[in-house]
Structures are given as structure tokens and as C-alpha cells.
Amino acid sequence: GSFGSHCVPVSEIIAVQETEVDNIQTKDEGKWQKMSQKTVETYPYAFTVFYVERARQHRWRCGNVTFFCSDGLLRQQWVQAIKEQLSLQTCRPKHLLVYINPYGGKQQGKQIYEQKVVQLFTLASISTDVIVTERANHARDHLKTEADLKKYDGIVCVGGDGMFSEVIHGLISRTQTDSGVDQNCAHEKLVQCNLRVGIIPAGSTDCICYATIGINDPVTSALHIIVGDSQALDVCSVHHNDTFLKYSVSLLGYGFYGDILADSEKKRWMGPARYDFSGIKTFLSHHYYEGTVSFQPATDILGNPRDKTKCRSGCYVCQHNGQLFSEEIRDESVEGGVSENEDEREWKVVKGKFLAINAASMSCACPRSPKGLSPAAHLADGTTDIILVRKCSRLNFLRHLLRHTSKDDQFDLTFIEVHRVRKFKFTPKYCESEDTDVKDVRKKLFSQICRDHPACSCTSVNSNWNCDGEILDHAAVEVGVHCQLIKLFARGIEEPMLYLALVLPCKL
Ligand SMILES: CCCCCCCCCCCCC/C=C/[C@@H](O)[C@H](COP(=O)(O)O)NC(=O)CCCCCCCCCCCCCCC
Ligand SMILES: Nc1ncnc2c1ncn2[C@@H]1O[C@H](COP(=O)(O)OP(=O)(O)O)[C@@H](O)[C@H]1O
Ligand SMILES: [Ca+2]
């Protein structure tokens, strides 16, 4: 490279390698040239340090700088010293289990992994076992029962939010089974998972990657895995009548986002554009749904969904509330402890007609909306933000939606309510047909609805829940947040670094 000084923290060095001087090309006045014979003769020994270079919009790249010396022993000492420093970075993974979804997004999962990630893992001396999935739930089932997890320092999933969801379902289930915890019990404390999960984005929305790293970029994700980042993440559990349905880490959406998802699944051939298509269609159909949302507002915590400050790397709110949460758990396990905290807190009940009921456990920032559904939501504070969109005109709903893409506050509208909670319940007005004869109940339901709205086409009474991009089978759900249940190879979104340069005059 060129002459000059480079300052790189050891924690951001990817690898060091001895370099063949003969092959080095240097950039001189913008042109790549072979080094002059004279330089090669004077400095025949070189080594290259690969490191994390920050580019625009939270993008990371693998940069390198080559050092030359005249002495072979000196080079060996340098390379050895740097390797020793690297071996002291104990948070870095050495052996990873990789699942690739070849079917998500633009169906490029395999290519993205092979063309952008493999060489970086090799450079960083990370070995991998790779499984390309052959069907939906392949990764989940493999993790749940087969995979020898002791062998690995982490799991990587190549795909979208659905693929990530599969991986954490496998991992959480496995962890609970191994420690004898029953997932069907909605009030039981779940055991934290030790293995970290990395996401190489290759899906349609990639909101979990975007909201935890700041961008959906495969190389950036690979580098966060290599340096061994760690970010805790809250997980919501969703139950229906004391049976476990699913976990969610990003969006649990009923009404608008549930309907978009149900419609878009039929259009998978369109790739990521299916969401825009179904989005417009769902917007125009303007369905609302009736029901009751009950929740306990989280009052003892730091932070509020209307805050101007956001969750960033090393977030203080997440640290503080995480601490609070683990203390409460400890208190409850003590005989006669203060369990009144939880159960005797006041429940709020909101009944009405809703265009959308969204629970965002993280900001849900994604390329479509870089600030997300709930811009001030936290990754690991043990809460989820419930956003209620009451029945309003199409124009007003459009105003709300458009504000997700601008600086304006999407909650500052009369038909929007937002609450930060630890648990909530939803009960649809027209209850689901279960024990009784299905057809019978449907008939009754439709006649009742049609009496209520004579003009409606009665396509469906209830919506579906969109759970991180997967459809749930029930409308009535009970949701609880499990604080910091899993860990990612991420560090949260980094604040732009501030440099203070002190330039001293050369003449002393
Ligand atoms: C008019 C412009 C309105 C822009 C509104 C943008 C709000 C976007 C918020 C998106 C939150 C996404 C939360 C993440 C969910 C994902 O977990 C989940 C699964 O991801 P995966 O496919 O990678 O597995 N993704 C989704 O459920 C997709 C949600 C799709 C949102 C698309 C919204 C488009 C709305 C278009 C409205 C158009 C009105 C036009 C009027 C003429
Ligand atoms: N080999 C496979 N064939 C078909 N479906 C799969 C396969 N592997 C995973 N899936 C499923 O594909 C769905 C979409 O995956 P995802 O990675 O979320 O992509 P997208 O972001 O495009 O929705 C998920 O429901 C997942 O369970
Ligand atoms: Ca949260």
C-alpha cells in the first residue's frame, strides 16, 4: 500500500498473512504498478494485515495494509505477535454451523454465501459445517433434535427473517428440552440460549439483520461474525389457550401486516416485490377488525415508545432494564417474594375497530423504512411496543404509513396509540371456531357480521397474525416478552464515530 499511518484496534483485525513481495501491486498516482526492483531488493519481506474498514451507512468492508521490512526474522516476529494478540480475542468463533435457505428472497442464498462470505471465513480461519435446506423447517428440526451443538461456537443462517425464525425456534426448543422447561406453559421462565446466531441477509425484508446491524449487507454481517460481536435480543412467546404457537423477535402484526403476508405468500414467484404488490392491494381493501387488546403497561422501566433517543450499540436502557428484569426474576423465586409486581399490576383494556395491531419488539427498521415501525423500540429491554391503528379514512391511514419513510412522527395522529408492554392479549370479537362444528359457527358468524355491515363482502371475519413473516393459525393470542433470551453476532447500530484530531506544528 501507500505510506502513512494506520490505526486499527486488535479487536477489528481479521487476519495477518505473510506476503510474497514479487506479486505486490502498489497504487502510484492512481495507477496500479508492480513495485520497483530496487524496493523489492531492499525490503524483500512483507506481511499483510486484514482489518475492518467502515464505509457509508454502517457498511463494513475488509481492508488491508501491507508492511515491508528488510529482515525475515523481524517479519516473523511481527506476524507471530499479531497472531498471539488475535488468539487472545476469545469471543471469536472458530467453528460454525451454517444453514442456507436457497429459496428465500431472490433465491440467491447459496450464491451470496459462496461469493461473499466463504472467503472471509477462510481468511479468518473459521471452519464451517454447511447445510443447504431442502424444505421448510429443515433447519428448525435439525437444530431441535439432531445437531451436535457442543461442536460449535455459533450458528449462521443465510436467508430472511423466516429463516432466522426457523433457527431460533430450533435453538430455543432444544435449550428448553435440554433443561426440562415446558414451552406450553405461558408463564414459565425460559432458559437463555448460549450459542450466538449470525444472519447473512438473503431474504425479502431482512428486518432483523437491518435493525441489529444497521444495514442488510452480507459482507458486513460476515465481519460482525468474525470479530465475535454479541448482542442480546428479546423474544416474544405467542400462546393460544395454553398451547405454544410461535416465537417472535421483530413484528407481530394483525390486520394490515397479517393481510399483506397472507396475500403475498401466493405471490412468492415475484420475490421481494410481492410485499409492495400485496401492500397496495391490502391498503385499497381497507379492512378493519374488531377485538380487544389487554396489556400491562411497563411502568418501572427506562424508556418510552415516543422517545427521541434510539437503541444503539451498548444501549444504556437495555442494560438497565435487563438488570431490573433479572432482579425481579430473582425476587420472585425467593419464598414469599414480591410476585405482586407482575400479576397485580393494572391491566389496560382497549376495545375497538382496528386497521392494524402491531407489536414491535425491535424497531423493525428495514430498507423500506429505515426508522422502522417503532423507531424508539429497544433490542434487549424486555418489552414490546404495541401500536394500535384504529379505523380511520384511507387518506389518514396513508398519512400514517408515509410517515414511516420520513422524519415526521407516525404516532402523532389521533387514531394511533402506542404502549410499551411486557405482555398482552388479543381477543377477536367474533371468536374462533374450535370445539363446535366449524361450518355451523361460520354460518352464524357471517350472518351476524352481515347484519352489522350490510355492504361488506364478508371475505373474512378475522385477520391473521404475521409473526416475523410467518402466518399464525389463531387470532386469539397471549404474548409475553422474554428478556434477552437469545444472542446475535451483532452489536446494535453504531453511533457515527467522532474523531478529535490534534494537529501539532512540526517545529518543536
Ligand atoms: C406508502 C409507503 C408506505 C411505506 C410503509 C412502510 C412500512 C414498512 C414497515 C415494515 C415493517 C417490516 C417488519 C418486518 C417484518 C418481517 O419480519 C417480515 C418477514 O420478512 P422476510 O420476508 O425477510 O422473511 N416481513 C413482512 O412481513 C413484510 C412486510 C411488508 C411491508 C410492506 C409494506 C408496504 C406498504 C405499501 C402500502 C402502499 C400504499 C399505497 C397507496 C397507493
Ligand atoms: N429449502 C427450502 N425450501 C422451501 N422453503 C424453505 C426452504 N428452507 C426454508 N424455507 C422456508 O422459506 C420461507 C421463507 O424464507 P425466508 O428466508 O424468510 O425468505 P423471505 O425473506 O423471502 O421470506 C420460510 O418460511 C422458511 O421456513
Ligand atoms: Ca424490545
Side-chain angles (χ1 to χ4, degrees):
S2 54
F3 295 95
S5 67
H6 288 263
C7 181
V8 180
V10 176
S11 62
E12 293 183 6
I13 294 179
I14 296 158
V16 57
Q17 275 179 358
E18 300 195 343
T19 319
E20 209 67 67
V21 172
D22 285 343
N23 301 330
I24 293 176
Q25 304 251 309
T26 56
K27 206 172 190 179
D28 206 13
E29 286 166 8
K31 272 194 215 139
W32 288 98
Q33 297 183 327
K34 267 203 148 176
M35 289 211 317
S36 76
Q37 198 53 38
K38 191 162 165 261
T39 326
V40 172
E41 273 163 24
T42 346
Y43 303 108
Y45 301 100
F47 65 92
T48 303
V49 176
F50 298 87
Y51 62 94
V52 170
E53 208 169 55
R54 285 178 175 73
R56 281 199 305 154
Q57 291 162 337
H58 306 286
R59 214 178 288 273
W60 282 12
R61 284 290 170 263
C62 177
N64 67 77
V65 53
T66 301
F67 299 89
F68 298 86
C69 52
S70 51
D71 177 359
L73 187 62
L74 183 62
R75 168 175 76 170
Q76 197 199 324
Q77 284 171 334
W78 270 105
V79 171
Q80 210 49 49
I82 296 172
K83 283 193 172 159
E84 259 163 45
Q85 286 296 315
L86 288 183
S87 70
L88 295 174
Q89 304 283 312
T90 49
C91 55
R92 295 191 177 197
K94 292 189 186 71
H95 193 47
L96 294 169
L97 174 57
V98 181
Y99 294 101
I100 301 177
N101 177 358
Y103 167 82
K106 294 179 182 153
Q107 313 200 323
Q108 293 291 303
K110 233 172 140 247
Q111 289 84 333
I112 288 172
Y113 183 73
E114 280 160 9
Q115 289 162 18
K116 302 196 167 174
V117 179
V118 169
Q119 71 238 44
L120 288 171
F121 282 174
T122 310
L123 180 65
S125 311
I126 292 175
S127 59
T128 52
D129 288 335
V130 179
I131 296 174
V132 179
T133 61
E134 285 160 12
R135 55 175 175 87
N137 294 325
H138 180 174
R140 185 197 69 186
D141 297 343
H142 183 259
L143 268 169
K144 210 164 164 174
T145 51
E146 270 172 67
D148 180 8
L149 298 183
K150 288 188 296 297
K151 280 183 17 196
Y152 303 103
D153 308 309
I155 302 169
V156 171
C157 68
V158 185
D161 294 339
M163 194 56 189
F164 178 78
S165 169
E166 272 200 34
V167 165
I168 62 157
H169 276 83
L171 189 60
I172 298 172
S173 291
R174 177 74 171 268
T175 311
Q176 308 320 308
T177 314
D178 288 353
S179 15
V181 174
D182 179 7
Q183 293 179 90
N184 283 321
C185 177
H187 305 286
E188 191 147 12
K189 165 139 172 65
L190 299 177
V191 176
Q192 286 177 324
C193 304
N194 293 321
L195 282 182
R196 282 168 290 172
V197 183
I199 310 170
I200 305 291
S204 302
T205 314
D206 297 320
C207 126
I208 301 163
C209 178
Y210 195 101
T212 54
I213 288 184
I215 190 161
N216 55 334
D217 174 62
V219 169
T220 306
S221 283
L223 293 173
H224 280 278
I225 295 169
I226 289 169
V227 302
D229 271 349
S230 185
Q231 169 69 54
L233 201 61
D234 295 336
V235 176
C236 287
S237 62
V238 187
H239 285 78
H240 170 84
N241 285 348
D242 286 315
T243 37
F244 168 73
L245 292 183
K246 252 196 158 47
Y247 295 113
S248 160
V249 297
S250 62
L251 167 67
L252 256 171
Y254 186 83
F256 187 62
Y257 292 103
D259 294 352
I260 291 182
L261 185 70
D263 188 72
S264 69
E265 278 302 301
K266 297 175 244 163
K267 304 185 178 69
R268 264 209 172 263
W269 55 270
M270 291 174 88
R274 70 188 185 279
Y275 288 137
D276 303 306
F277 191 91
S278 300
I280 294 170
K281 187 173 154 188
T282 306
F283 172 79
L284 293 174
S285 72
H286 201 64
H287 280 150
Y288 66 83
Y289 300 94
E290 301 193 55
T292 307
V293 185
S294 346
F295 54 89
Q296 290 176 307
T299 47
D300 53 342
I301 48 146
L302 285 181
N304 180 288
R306 307 289 297 268
D307 285 341
K308 289 284 164 270
T309 52
K310 295 178 182 177
C311 184
R312 289 292 177 261
S313 263
C315 176
Y316 178 72
V317 170
C318 290
Q319 277 175 42
H320 179 274
N321 295 350
Q323 192 77 35
L324 202 79
F325 193 81
S326 57
E327 276 161 19
E328 264 173 39
I329 293 284
R330 253 202 313 279
D331 287 350
E332 272 175 45
S333 58
V334 174
E335 202 87 37
V338 274
S339 52
E340 51 157 26
N341 268 8
E342 272 289 297
D343 300 329
E344 285 165 26
R345 212 176 281 153
E346 183 193 7
W347 282 82
K348 279 205 167 169
V349 179
V350 180
K351 214 170 164 173
K353 300 175 174 164
F354 303 101
L355 289 176
I357 297 167
N358 301 323
S361 316
M362 56 167 71
S363 68
C364 292
C366 57
R368 278 192 184 81
S369 168
K371 66 175 180 179
L373 287 178
S374 190
H378 287 271
L379 293 172
D381 68 340
T383 71
T384 188
D385 290 346
I386 303 186
I387 304 155
L388 304 175
V389 185
R390 288 183 188 270
K391 183 183 171 217
C392 63
S393 70
R394 279 193 182 79
L395 187 64
N396 271 332
F397 188 40
L398 183 62
R399 275 172 70 204
H400 167 65
L401 287 176
L402 279 171
R403 288 186 185 189
H404 289 81
T405 63
S406 75
K407 286 196 299 289
D408 298 331
D409 181 357
Q410 64 253 42
F411 303 143
D412 189 18
L413 293 161
T414 54
F415 50 94
I416 306 286
E417 261 179 62
V418 57
H419 305 275
R420 187 158 286 179
V421 308
R422 282 190 179 153
K423 36 177 129 171
F424 72 91
K425 276 184 226 167
F426 175 71
T427 318
K429 176 167 177 190
Y430 304 103
C431 59
E432 298 167 89
S433 39
E434 260 168 316
D435 328 293
T436 23
D437 186 79
V438 179
K439 272 186 199 151
D440 210 43
V441 174
R442 277 254 165 85
K443 228 186 272 165
K444 254 191 240 157
L445 273 176
F446 279 126
S447 51
Q448 183 182 355
I449 307 268
C450 294
R451 249 182 281 121
D452 290 355
H453 332 234
C456 97
S457 53
C458 283
T459 42
S460 86
V461 187
N462 290 336
S463 174
N464 300 292
W465 282 96
N466 173 341
C467 176
D468 294 359
E470 309 291 309
I471 294 173
L472 295 187
D473 294 331
H474 296 279
V477 294
E478 193 176 330
V479 178
V481 187
H482 298 267
C483 190
Q484 307 187 358
L485 187 63
I486 57 171
K487 283 196 215 91
L488 297 189
F489 285 112
R491 58 171 66 168
I493 297 176
E494 281 186 310
E495 216 81 73
M497 256 196 244
L498 284 178
Y499 288 103
L500 181 63
L502 292 177
V503 183
L504 295 172
C506 288
K507 258 190 286 172
L508 285 173

